[in-house]
Amino acid sequence: MIPMPIQAGLWGLLGGSALLLGAAIGYYINLPQRLIAAVMAIGSGVLISAVAFDLMDEAYRRGGFDSSALGFLAGAAAYTFANILVSRRGAKHRKRSGSNPGQSQQAASDGSGTAIAVGALLDGIPESVVIGVSLLAGSGVSMVAVVAVFLSNVPEGLSSAAGMKKAGRGPFYIFLVWGGIALASGIAAAFGNLALAGASPDIIAATMAVAAGAILAMLVDTMIPEATEETHEYSGLIAVAGFLLAFILSKLGG
């Protein structure tokens, strides 16, 4: 039997591997922007479902209104302020699908590779911690959380790799950066599982709610505007399909 922290780390690594997949697509393939944005819209719907049913509902069940509400607001606030910092250093468009290549190119050419990597960690850590915490319930990993993290990471790796390529970065540098971030996602999932094993219900509830607040703030700030810009009047329907898919998976898994 594989120890639970290692299981969590492997699931987190799987979610983070989407960064490498996105980077490979961004470096080698030119996909239609509307197709990429459609994936983002699906991912947005999946993440909204995960926030509502896998995170906040579970946080409330474990810790009640106080822990879940305070954690939710704290997560959103922490993400917002940290996002402002990395955005001002060139990582503003890290989850953009590349609809404005000049923005990605400008960001990369300004030497913002570090800021983009920090931004990816900012997005990925709460998502990965959620994967690790989901195993603590004893019923297996939350597949909704894994799918949501995977779909949200693809456009991030894609847009950043495309921008770095235009700025003259080679494949070794690009895949080393995103491979490191993917590995960090696995470590974050394992750490979340290990650190919170045996923790009080209030602590677990607050942690889940912090992740939920950070993820929802990220969605509204990055993924939803891009998906709406590219898929126009179809973005709502596509996001609803993603939400429904995640809802069905959560109920089947329960």
Side-chain angles (χ1 to χ4, degrees), residues 1-76:
M1 181 66 178
I2 302 176
M4 193 175 294
I6 296 179
Q7 291 184 46
L10 292 174
W11 282 113
L13 183 62
L14 175 62
S17 68
L19 292 166
L20 285 171
L21 174 62
I25 294 171
Y27 193 85
Y28 295 110
I29 304 173
N30 290 320
L31 291 180
Q33 295 305 319
R34 296 195 71 174
L35 176 60
I36 300 167
V39 172
M40 297 177 76
I42 293 173
S44 297
V46 172
L47 279 169
I48 291 171
S49 180
V51 166
F53 297 107
D54 277 30
L55 297 180
M56 286 304 292
D57 191 55
E58 180 66 15
Y60 171 74
R61 188 184 69 80
R62 287 175 179 265
F65 275 122
D66 52 352
S67 298
S68 54
L70 288 174
F72 193 59
L73 292 173

Short mmCIF file of all heavy atoms in Angstrom, two decimals, residues 1-76:
data_model
loop_
_atom_site.label_atom_id
_atom_site.label_comp_id
_atom_site.label_asym_id
_atom_site.label_seq_id
_atom_site.Cartn_x
_atom_site.Cartn_y
_atom_site.Cartn_z
N MET A 1 0.84 -1.19 0.00
CA MET A 1 0.00 0.00 0.00
C MET A 1 0.88 1.25 0.00
O MET A 1 1.77 1.39 0.85
CB MET A 1 -0.90 0.00 1.24
CG MET A 1 -1.83 1.18 1.33
SD MET A 1 -3.06 1.17 0.00
CE MET A 1 -4.02 2.61 0.42
N ILE A 2 0.66 2.12 -0.95
CA ILE A 2 1.45 3.34 -1.05
C ILE A 2 1.03 4.31 0.06
O ILE A 2 -0.17 4.54 0.26
CB ILE A 2 1.25 4.01 -2.41
CG1 ILE A 2 1.64 3.06 -3.54
CG2 ILE A 2 2.05 5.31 -2.51
CD1 ILE A 2 1.39 3.59 -4.93
N PRO A 3 1.99 4.87 0.82
CA PRO A 3 1.63 5.82 1.87
C PRO A 3 0.81 6.99 1.31
O PRO A 3 1.05 7.43 0.18
CB PRO A 3 2.99 6.30 2.39
CG PRO A 3 3.93 5.18 2.06
CD PRO A 3 3.43 4.59 0.78
N MET A 4 -0.11 7.49 2.12
CA MET A 4 -1.03 8.50 1.64
C MET A 4 -0.34 9.78 1.16
O MET A 4 -0.73 10.34 0.13
CB MET A 4 -2.07 8.83 2.71
CG MET A 4 -3.25 9.63 2.19
SD MET A 4 -4.53 9.90 3.44
CE MET A 4 -5.08 8.21 3.67
N PRO A 5 0.69 10.30 1.86
CA PRO A 5 1.36 11.50 1.35
C PRO A 5 1.97 11.30 -0.04
O PRO A 5 1.96 12.22 -0.87
CB PRO A 5 2.44 11.78 2.40
CG PRO A 5 1.92 11.16 3.65
CD PRO A 5 1.20 9.93 3.20
N ILE A 6 2.49 10.09 -0.29
CA ILE A 6 3.06 9.81 -1.62
C ILE A 6 1.95 9.76 -2.66
O ILE A 6 2.10 10.26 -3.78
CB ILE A 6 3.87 8.51 -1.59
CG1 ILE A 6 5.08 8.66 -0.66
CG2 ILE A 6 4.34 8.14 -3.00
CD1 ILE A 6 5.94 7.42 -0.54
N GLN A 7 0.82 9.14 -2.30
CA GLN A 7 -0.32 9.15 -3.21
C GLN A 7 -0.73 10.58 -3.55
O GLN A 7 -0.97 10.91 -4.72
CB GLN A 7 -1.51 8.42 -2.57
CG GLN A 7 -1.35 6.93 -2.40
CD GLN A 7 -2.62 6.31 -1.85
OE1 GLN A 7 -3.72 6.59 -2.32
NE2 GLN A 7 -2.46 5.47 -0.83
N ALA A 8 -0.81 11.41 -2.51
CA ALA A 8 -1.19 12.81 -2.73
C ALA A 8 -0.20 13.51 -3.64
O ALA A 8 -0.58 14.27 -4.55
CB ALA A 8 -1.28 13.54 -1.38
N GLY A 9 1.10 13.24 -3.42
CA GLY A 9 2.12 13.86 -4.25
C GLY A 9 2.02 13.44 -5.71
O GLY A 9 2.19 14.26 -6.61
N LEU A 10 1.71 12.17 -5.93
CA LEU A 10 1.57 11.68 -7.31
C LEU A 10 0.36 12.31 -8.00
O LEU A 10 0.42 12.67 -9.18
CB LEU A 10 1.47 10.16 -7.32
CG LEU A 10 2.75 9.41 -6.90
CD1 LEU A 10 2.49 7.91 -6.81
CD2 LEU A 10 3.88 9.70 -7.89
N TRP A 11 -0.74 12.42 -7.27
CA TRP A 11 -1.92 13.07 -7.85
C TRP A 11 -1.66 14.55 -8.12
O TRP A 11 -2.08 15.09 -9.15
CB TRP A 11 -3.12 12.91 -6.92
CG TRP A 11 -3.77 11.56 -6.97
CD1 TRP A 11 -3.80 10.62 -5.97
CD2 TRP A 11 -4.47 10.98 -8.07
NE1 TRP A 11 -4.47 9.50 -6.38
CE2 TRP A 11 -4.90 9.68 -7.66
CE3 TRP A 11 -4.77 11.41 -9.36
CZ2 TRP A 11 -5.62 8.85 -8.50
CZ3 TRP A 11 -5.50 10.57 -10.20
CH2 TRP A 11 -5.91 9.31 -9.77
N GLY A 12 -0.96 15.21 -7.19
CA GLY A 12 -0.60 16.61 -7.42
C GLY A 12 0.33 16.78 -8.60
O GLY A 12 0.20 17.73 -9.38
N LEU A 13 1.25 15.82 -8.76
CA LEU A 13 2.16 15.86 -9.90
C LEU A 13 1.39 15.67 -11.21
O LEU A 13 1.71 16.30 -12.22
CB LEU A 13 3.21 14.76 -9.75
CG LEU A 13 4.29 14.70 -10.83
CD1 LEU A 13 5.11 15.98 -10.86
CD2 LEU A 13 5.20 13.49 -10.59
N LEU A 14 0.36 14.82 -11.19
CA LEU A 14 -0.46 14.63 -12.37
C LEU A 14 -1.16 15.94 -12.76
O LEU A 14 -1.16 16.32 -13.93
CB LEU A 14 -1.50 13.54 -12.13
CG LEU A 14 -2.52 13.31 -13.26
CD1 LEU A 14 -1.81 12.86 -14.53
CD2 LEU A 14 -3.57 12.29 -12.84
N GLY A 15 -1.74 16.61 -11.77
CA GLY A 15 -2.37 17.90 -12.06
C GLY A 15 -1.37 18.92 -12.57
O GLY A 15 -1.65 19.67 -13.52
N GLY A 16 -0.19 18.95 -11.96
CA GLY A 16 0.84 19.89 -12.39
C GLY A 16 1.44 19.57 -13.74
O GLY A 16 1.97 20.45 -14.42
N SER A 17 1.36 18.30 -14.15
CA SER A 17 1.93 17.91 -15.44
C SER A 17 1.23 18.61 -16.61
O SER A 17 1.79 18.67 -17.71
CB SER A 17 1.85 16.39 -15.63
OG SER A 17 0.50 15.96 -15.76
N ALA A 18 0.03 19.12 -16.36
CA ALA A 18 -0.66 19.87 -17.42
C ALA A 18 0.12 21.11 -17.81
O ALA A 18 0.00 21.60 -18.94
CB ALA A 18 -2.06 20.26 -16.95
N LEU A 19 0.95 21.64 -16.89
CA LEU A 19 1.82 22.76 -17.24
C LEU A 19 2.80 22.37 -18.34
O LEU A 19 3.05 23.14 -19.28
CB LEU A 19 2.58 23.25 -16.01
CG LEU A 19 1.75 23.91 -14.91
CD1 LEU A 19 2.57 24.03 -13.63
CD2 LEU A 19 1.27 25.29 -15.37
N LEU A 20 3.35 21.16 -18.23
CA LEU A 20 4.27 20.67 -19.27
C LEU A 20 3.53 20.40 -20.57
O LEU A 20 4.06 20.70 -21.66
CB LEU A 20 4.95 19.39 -18.78
CG LEU A 20 6.05 19.57 -17.73
CD1 LEU A 20 6.48 18.22 -17.19
CD2 LEU A 20 7.24 20.32 -18.31
N LEU A 21 2.33 19.85 -20.47
CA LEU A 21 1.53 19.62 -21.68
C LEU A 21 1.23 20.94 -22.37
O LEU A 21 1.40 21.07 -23.59
CB LEU A 21 0.23 18.91 -21.31
CG LEU A 21 -0.78 18.72 -22.45
CD1 LEU A 21 -0.18 17.84 -23.55
CD2 LEU A 21 -2.07 18.11 -21.92
N GLY A 22 0.81 21.93 -21.59
CA GLY A 22 0.53 23.23 -22.16
C GLY A 22 1.77 23.86 -22.77
O GLY A 22 1.72 24.48 -23.84
N ALA A 23 2.91 23.71 -22.08
CA ALA A 23 4.16 24.27 -22.60
C ALA A 23 4.54 23.62 -23.93
O ALA A 23 5.00 24.29 -24.86
CB ALA A 23 5.28 24.09 -21.58
N ALA A 24 4.36 22.31 -24.03
CA ALA A 24 4.67 21.61 -25.27
C ALA A 24 3.77 22.09 -26.41
O ALA A 24 4.23 22.31 -27.54
CB ALA A 24 4.52 20.10 -25.08
N ILE A 25 2.48 22.27 -26.12
CA ILE A 25 1.56 22.77 -27.14
C ILE A 25 1.95 24.18 -27.56
O ILE A 25 1.99 24.52 -28.75
CB ILE A 25 0.11 22.75 -26.61
CG1 ILE A 25 -0.35 21.31 -26.37
CG2 ILE A 25 -0.84 23.45 -27.59
CD1 ILE A 25 -1.68 21.20 -25.66
N GLY A 26 2.26 25.03 -26.56
CA GLY A 26 2.61 26.41 -26.86
C GLY A 26 3.90 26.53 -27.65
O GLY A 26 4.07 27.45 -28.45
N TYR A 27 4.82 25.60 -27.42
CA TYR A 27 6.12 25.68 -28.09
C TYR A 27 6.09 25.09 -29.50
O TYR A 27 6.71 25.61 -30.42
CB TYR A 27 7.17 24.96 -27.26
CG TYR A 27 8.59 25.25 -27.70
CD1 TYR A 27 9.25 26.39 -27.22
CD2 TYR A 27 9.25 24.42 -28.59
CE1 TYR A 27 10.55 26.67 -27.63
CE2 TYR A 27 10.55 24.70 -29.00
CZ TYR A 27 11.20 25.82 -28.52
OH TYR A 27 12.47 26.11 -28.93
N TYR A 28 5.33 24.00 -29.68
CA TYR A 28 5.40 23.26 -30.94
C TYR A 28 4.16 23.39 -31.83
O TYR A 28 4.23 23.12 -33.03
CB TYR A 28 5.63 21.78 -30.66
CG TYR A 28 6.97 21.49 -30.02
CD1 TYR A 28 7.06 21.07 -28.71
CD2 TYR A 28 8.15 21.63 -30.75
CE1 TYR A 28 8.28 20.80 -28.11
CE2 TYR A 28 9.39 21.37 -30.16
CZ TYR A 28 9.45 20.95 -28.84
OH TYR A 28 10.66 20.69 -28.27
N ILE A 29 3.00 23.75 -31.26
CA ILE A 29 1.75 23.71 -32.02
C ILE A 29 1.02 25.04 -31.90
O ILE A 29 1.00 25.66 -30.83
CB ILE A 29 0.82 22.59 -31.50
CG1 ILE A 29 1.54 21.24 -31.54
CG2 ILE A 29 -0.47 22.53 -32.32
CD1 ILE A 29 0.74 20.12 -30.88
N ASN A 30 0.41 25.47 -32.99
CA ASN A 30 -0.44 26.65 -32.98
C ASN A 30 -1.91 26.21 -33.02
O ASN A 30 -2.41 25.81 -34.08
CB ASN A 30 -0.14 27.56 -34.18
CG ASN A 30 1.20 28.24 -34.05
OD1 ASN A 30 1.58 28.67 -32.95
ND2 ASN A 30 1.95 28.31 -35.13
N LEU A 31 -2.57 26.25 -31.88
CA LEU A 31 -3.98 25.87 -31.81
C LEU A 31 -4.87 27.08 -31.98
O LEU A 31 -4.48 28.20 -31.63
CB LEU A 31 -4.29 25.21 -30.46
CG LEU A 31 -3.69 23.84 -30.20
CD1 LEU A 31 -4.10 23.35 -28.82
CD2 LEU A 31 -4.12 22.83 -31.26
N PRO A 32 -6.08 26.91 -32.52
CA PRO A 32 -7.03 28.03 -32.60
C PRO A 32 -7.32 28.59 -31.20
O PRO A 32 -7.55 27.83 -30.26
CB PRO A 32 -8.29 27.39 -33.21
CG PRO A 32 -7.80 26.16 -33.90
CD PRO A 32 -6.63 25.67 -33.10
N GLN A 33 -7.33 29.90 -31.10
CA GLN A 33 -7.55 30.52 -29.80
C GLN A 33 -8.92 30.18 -29.21
O GLN A 33 -9.07 30.06 -28.00
CB GLN A 33 -7.38 32.04 -29.91
CG GLN A 33 -5.99 32.49 -30.28
CD GLN A 33 -4.94 31.94 -29.33
OE1 GLN A 33 -5.15 31.89 -28.12
NE2 GLN A 33 -3.82 31.49 -29.87
N ARG A 34 -9.90 30.02 -30.08
CA ARG A 34 -11.24 29.71 -29.57
C ARG A 34 -11.29 28.32 -28.95
O ARG A 34 -12.02 28.09 -27.99
CB ARG A 34 -12.29 29.84 -30.67
CG ARG A 34 -12.43 31.26 -31.21
CD ARG A 34 -13.69 31.45 -32.01
NE ARG A 34 -14.88 31.44 -31.16
CZ ARG A 34 -16.10 31.70 -31.60
NH1 ARG A 34 -16.30 31.98 -32.88
NH2 ARG A 34 -17.12 31.68 -30.77
N LEU A 35 -10.50 27.39 -29.49
CA LEU A 35 -10.44 26.06 -28.91
C LEU A 35 -9.79 26.11 -27.53
O LEU A 35 -10.28 25.48 -26.58
CB LEU A 35 -9.65 25.12 -29.83
CG LEU A 35 -9.41 23.71 -29.31
CD1 LEU A 35 -10.72 23.00 -29.05
CD2 LEU A 35 -8.54 22.92 -30.29
N ILE A 36 -8.71 26.86 -27.42
CA ILE A 36 -8.04 26.99 -26.12
C ILE A 36 -8.95 27.65 -25.11
O ILE A 36 -9.06 27.23 -23.95
CB ILE A 36 -6.74 27.80 -26.28
CG1 ILE A 36 -5.79 27.11 -27.26
CG2 ILE A 36 -6.05 27.99 -24.93
CD1 ILE A 36 -4.65 27.98 -27.72
N ALA A 37 -9.64 28.71 -25.54
CA ALA A 37 -10.55 29.42 -24.64
C ALA A 37 -11.71 28.53 -24.22
O ALA A 37 -12.20 28.64 -23.09
CB ALA A 37 -11.07 30.68 -25.31
N ALA A 38 -12.15 27.65 -25.11
CA ALA A 38 -13.22 26.71 -24.75
C ALA A 38 -12.76 25.78 -23.64
O ALA A 38 -13.53 25.46 -22.72
CB ALA A 38 -13.66 25.92 -25.98
N VAL A 39 -11.51 25.33 -23.71
CA VAL A 39 -10.96 24.50 -22.63
C VAL A 39 -10.94 25.30 -21.33
O VAL A 39 -11.26 24.76 -20.26
CB VAL A 39 -9.54 24.02 -23.00
CG1 VAL A 39 -8.89 23.32 -21.81
CG2 VAL A 39 -9.59 23.09 -24.19
N MET A 40 -10.60 26.57 -21.42
CA MET A 40 -10.59 27.42 -20.22
C MET A 40 -11.99 27.58 -19.66
O MET A 40 -12.18 27.60 -18.43
CB MET A 40 -9.98 28.78 -20.55
CG MET A 40 -8.53 28.71 -20.98
SD MET A 40 -7.86 30.31 -21.44
CE MET A 40 -7.64 31.05 -19.84
N ALA A 41 -12.98 27.70 -20.54
CA ALA A 41 -14.36 27.84 -20.07
C ALA A 41 -14.82 26.56 -19.37
O ALA A 41 -15.46 26.62 -18.32
CB ALA A 41 -15.29 28.16 -21.25
N ILE A 42 -14.47 25.41 -19.95
CA ILE A 42 -14.80 24.14 -19.29
C ILE A 42 -14.11 24.06 -17.93
O ILE A 42 -14.72 23.69 -16.92
CB ILE A 42 -14.39 22.95 -20.18
CG1 ILE A 42 -15.23 22.90 -21.44
CG2 ILE A 42 -14.53 21.63 -19.41
CD1 ILE A 42 -14.78 21.87 -22.45
N GLY A 43 -12.82 24.41 -17.92
CA GLY A 43 -12.07 24.39 -16.67
C GLY A 43 -12.65 25.32 -15.63
O GLY A 43 -12.67 25.01 -14.43
N SER A 44 -13.16 26.47 -16.07
CA SER A 44 -13.78 27.42 -15.14
C SER A 44 -15.02 26.80 -14.50
O SER A 44 -15.22 26.91 -13.28
CB SER A 44 -14.17 28.71 -15.87
OG SER A 44 -13.02 29.37 -16.38
N GLY A 45 -15.85 26.17 -15.32
CA GLY A 45 -17.04 25.52 -14.78
C GLY A 45 -16.69 24.41 -13.81
O GLY A 45 -17.31 24.27 -12.74
N VAL A 46 -15.67 23.61 -14.15
CA VAL A 46 -15.24 22.53 -13.27
C VAL A 46 -14.72 23.09 -11.95
O VAL A 46 -15.04 22.57 -10.86
CB VAL A 46 -14.15 21.68 -13.96
CG1 VAL A 46 -13.54 20.68 -12.99
CG2 VAL A 46 -14.73 20.93 -15.16
N LEU A 47 -13.93 24.15 -12.01
CA LEU A 47 -13.37 24.73 -10.80
C LEU A 47 -14.45 25.35 -9.92
O LEU A 47 -14.39 25.25 -8.69
CB LEU A 47 -12.31 25.78 -11.16
CG LEU A 47 -10.92 25.24 -11.48
CD1 LEU A 47 -10.04 26.33 -12.07
CD2 LEU A 47 -10.27 24.64 -10.24
N ILE A 48 -15.44 26.00 -10.53
CA ILE A 48 -16.54 26.58 -9.73
C ILE A 48 -17.28 25.47 -8.99
O ILE A 48 -17.62 25.60 -7.81
CB ILE A 48 -17.50 27.37 -10.63
CG1 ILE A 48 -16.81 28.64 -11.14
CG2 ILE A 48 -18.77 27.75 -9.86
CD1 ILE A 48 -17.60 29.37 -12.20
N SER A 49 -17.52 24.35 -9.68
CA SER A 49 -18.17 23.21 -9.03
C SER A 49 -17.30 22.67 -7.90
O SER A 49 -17.81 22.34 -6.82
CB SER A 49 -18.45 22.12 -10.06
OG SER A 49 -19.07 21.01 -9.46
N ALA A 50 -16.00 22.57 -8.14
CA ALA A 50 -15.10 22.06 -7.11
C ALA A 50 -15.08 22.98 -5.89
O ALA A 50 -15.08 22.51 -4.75
CB ALA A 50 -13.69 21.91 -7.68
N VAL A 51 -15.08 24.29 -6.13
CA VAL A 51 -15.10 25.25 -5.02
C VAL A 51 -16.38 25.09 -4.20
O VAL A 51 -16.35 25.07 -2.96
CB VAL A 51 -14.98 26.69 -5.55
CG1 VAL A 51 -15.34 27.70 -4.46
CG2 VAL A 51 -13.56 26.95 -6.04
N ALA A 52 -17.51 24.95 -4.88
CA ALA A 52 -18.79 24.89 -4.19
C ALA A 52 -19.01 23.57 -3.46
O ALA A 52 -19.37 23.57 -2.27
CB ALA A 52 -19.93 25.13 -5.19
N PHE A 53 -18.78 22.46 -4.15
CA PHE A 53 -19.17 21.16 -3.60
C PHE A 53 -18.03 20.41 -2.92
O PHE A 53 -18.24 19.77 -1.90
CB PHE A 53 -19.77 20.29 -4.70
CG PHE A 53 -21.03 20.85 -5.28
CD1 PHE A 53 -21.04 21.41 -6.55
CD2 PHE A 53 -22.20 20.87 -4.55
CE1 PHE A 53 -22.20 21.94 -7.09
CE2 PHE A 53 -23.37 21.41 -5.07
CZ PHE A 53 -23.37 21.95 -6.35
N ASP A 54 -16.83 20.47 -3.49
CA ASP A 54 -15.72 19.72 -2.91
C ASP A 54 -15.01 20.49 -1.80
O ASP A 54 -14.37 19.88 -0.95
CB ASP A 54 -14.69 19.38 -4.00
CG ASP A 54 -15.09 18.13 -4.77
OD1 ASP A 54 -16.30 17.89 -4.88
OD2 ASP A 54 -14.20 17.42 -5.25
N LEU A 55 -15.09 21.81 -1.82
CA LEU A 55 -14.32 22.60 -0.87
C LEU A 55 -15.20 23.29 0.17
O LEU A 55 -15.14 22.97 1.36
CB LEU A 55 -13.47 23.63 -1.62
CG LEU A 55 -12.41 23.05 -2.54
CD1 LEU A 55 -11.64 24.16 -3.24
CD2 LEU A 55 -11.47 22.15 -1.77
N MET A 56 -16.03 24.23 -0.25
CA MET A 56 -16.79 25.00 0.72
C MET A 56 -17.82 24.15 1.45
O MET A 56 -18.02 24.29 2.67
CB MET A 56 -17.47 26.19 0.04
CG MET A 56 -16.50 27.31 -0.31
SD MET A 56 -15.56 27.92 1.13
CE MET A 56 -16.87 28.72 2.08
N ASP A 57 -18.49 23.27 0.75
CA ASP A 57 -19.47 22.40 1.42
C ASP A 57 -18.80 21.50 2.44
O ASP A 57 -19.29 21.32 3.56
CB ASP A 57 -20.20 21.57 0.36
CG ASP A 57 -21.42 20.86 0.94
OD1 ASP A 57 -22.28 21.54 1.53
OD2 ASP A 57 -21.51 19.63 0.80
N GLU A 58 -17.64 20.96 2.05
CA GLU A 58 -16.89 20.11 2.97
C GLU A 58 -16.31 20.91 4.13
O GLU A 58 -16.29 20.46 5.28
CB GLU A 58 -15.78 19.38 2.22
CG GLU A 58 -14.91 18.46 3.05
CD GLU A 58 -15.66 17.26 3.60
OE1 GLU A 58 -16.78 16.98 3.13
OE2 GLU A 58 -15.13 16.61 4.53
N ALA A 59 -15.82 22.13 3.84
CA ALA A 59 -15.29 22.98 4.90
C ALA A 59 -16.38 23.33 5.91
O ALA A 59 -16.15 23.30 7.13
CB ALA A 59 -14.71 24.26 4.30
N TYR A 60 -17.57 23.64 5.42
CA TYR A 60 -18.68 23.94 6.32
C TYR A 60 -19.06 22.72 7.15
O TYR A 60 -19.33 22.81 8.36
CB TYR A 60 -19.89 24.42 5.52
CG TYR A 60 -21.15 24.54 6.36
CD1 TYR A 60 -21.30 25.59 7.26
CD2 TYR A 60 -22.16 23.59 6.26
CE1 TYR A 60 -22.44 25.70 8.06
CE2 TYR A 60 -23.30 23.68 7.04
CZ TYR A 60 -23.43 24.74 7.93
OH TYR A 60 -24.56 24.83 8.71
N ARG A 61 -19.05 21.55 6.53
CA ARG A 61 -19.40 20.32 7.25
C ARG A 61 -18.40 20.04 8.37
O ARG A 61 -18.78 19.57 9.45
CB ARG A 61 -19.43 19.15 6.28
CG ARG A 61 -19.98 17.86 6.87
CD ARG A 61 -19.90 16.71 5.88
NE ARG A 61 -18.53 16.31 5.62
CZ ARG A 61 -17.81 15.53 6.43
NH1 ARG A 61 -18.35 15.09 7.56
NH2 ARG A 61 -16.59 15.20 6.11
N ARG A 62 -17.14 20.37 8.13
CA ARG A 62 -16.11 20.08 9.12
C ARG A 62 -16.00 21.16 10.20
O ARG A 62 -15.80 20.83 11.37
CB ARG A 62 -14.74 19.94 8.44
CG ARG A 62 -14.56 18.67 7.63
CD ARG A 62 -13.23 18.69 6.89
NE ARG A 62 -12.98 17.48 6.13
CZ ARG A 62 -12.28 16.43 6.56
NH1 ARG A 62 -11.75 16.46 7.77
NH2 ARG A 62 -12.10 15.37 5.79
N GLY A 63 -16.11 22.43 9.80
CA GLY A 63 -15.80 23.49 10.76
C GLY A 63 -16.87 24.54 10.97
O GLY A 63 -16.67 25.46 11.77
N GLY A 64 -17.98 24.44 10.25
CA GLY A 64 -19.05 25.42 10.44
C GLY A 64 -18.79 26.72 9.69
O GLY A 64 -17.84 26.84 8.92
N PHE A 65 -19.65 27.69 9.97
CA PHE A 65 -19.59 28.96 9.25
C PHE A 65 -18.32 29.75 9.56
O PHE A 65 -17.73 30.37 8.67
CB PHE A 65 -20.81 29.83 9.60
CG PHE A 65 -22.02 29.52 8.77
CD1 PHE A 65 -23.20 29.14 9.38
CD2 PHE A 65 -21.98 29.61 7.38
CE1 PHE A 65 -24.32 28.83 8.62
CE2 PHE A 65 -23.09 29.31 6.62
CZ PHE A 65 -24.27 28.92 7.24
N ASP A 66 -17.90 29.78 10.82
CA ASP A 66 -16.80 30.67 11.20
C ASP A 66 -15.50 30.31 10.48
O ASP A 66 -14.89 31.16 9.82
CB ASP A 66 -16.61 30.69 12.71
CG ASP A 66 -16.46 29.30 13.31
OD1 ASP A 66 -16.65 28.30 12.57
OD2 ASP A 66 -16.16 29.21 14.51
N SER A 67 -15.09 29.05 10.59
CA SER A 67 -13.83 28.64 9.95
C SER A 67 -13.90 28.76 8.44
O SER A 67 -12.96 29.25 7.79
CB SER A 67 -13.49 27.20 10.34
OG SER A 67 -13.30 27.08 11.73
N SER A 68 -15.02 28.32 7.85
CA SER A 68 -15.13 28.32 6.40
C SER A 68 -15.22 29.74 5.84
O SER A 68 -14.58 30.07 4.84
CB SER A 68 -16.31 27.47 5.94
OG SER A 68 -17.50 27.89 6.55
N ALA A 69 -16.00 30.60 6.48
CA ALA A 69 -16.17 31.96 5.98
C ALA A 69 -14.88 32.76 6.11
O ALA A 69 -14.45 33.46 5.17
CB ALA A 69 -17.30 32.66 6.72
N LEU A 70 -14.24 32.68 7.28
CA LEU A 70 -12.99 33.42 7.48
C LEU A 70 -11.90 32.93 6.54
O LEU A 70 -11.16 33.71 5.95
CB LEU A 70 -12.54 33.29 8.94
CG LEU A 70 -13.37 34.07 9.96
CD1 LEU A 70 -12.91 33.73 11.38
CD2 LEU A 70 -13.28 35.57 9.73
N GLY A 71 -11.79 31.61 6.39
CA GLY A 71 -10.79 31.06 5.49
C GLY A 71 -11.05 31.46 4.05
O GLY A 71 -10.11 31.78 3.31
N PHE A 72 -12.31 31.45 3.64
CA PHE A 72 -12.68 31.80 2.27
C PHE A 72 -12.26 33.22 1.93
O PHE A 72 -11.63 33.47 0.90
CB PHE A 72 -14.19 31.63 2.12
CG PHE A 72 -14.69 31.65 0.71
CD1 PHE A 72 -14.23 30.73 -0.22
CD2 PHE A 72 -15.63 32.58 0.30
CE1 PHE A 72 -14.70 30.73 -1.53
CE2 PHE A 72 -16.10 32.60 -1.00
CZ PHE A 72 -15.64 31.67 -1.92
N LEU A 73 -12.59 34.16 2.82
CA LEU A 73 -12.22 35.56 2.60
C LEU A 73 -10.70 35.75 2.67
O LEU A 73 -10.12 36.50 1.89
CB LEU A 73 -12.91 36.45 3.63
CG LEU A 73 -14.43 36.57 3.50
CD1 LEU A 73 -15.02 37.34 4.67
CD2 LEU A 73 -14.80 37.26 2.18
N ALA A 74 -10.07 35.05 3.61
CA ALA A 74 -8.61 35.17 3.74
C ALA A 74 -7.90 34.65 2.50
O ALA A 74 -6.92 35.25 2.02
CB ALA A 74 -8.13 34.41 4.98
N GLY A 75 -8.38 33.54 1.94
CA GLY A 75 -7.77 32.99 0.73
C GLY A 75 -7.90 33.93 -0.45
O GLY A 75 -6.94 34.13 -1.20
N ALA A 76 -9.08 34.51 -0.61
CA ALA A 76 -9.30 35.45 -1.71
C ALA A 76 -8.42 36.68 -1.55
O ALA A 76 -7.83 37.18 -2.52
CB ALA A 76 -10.77 35.85 -1.77
#
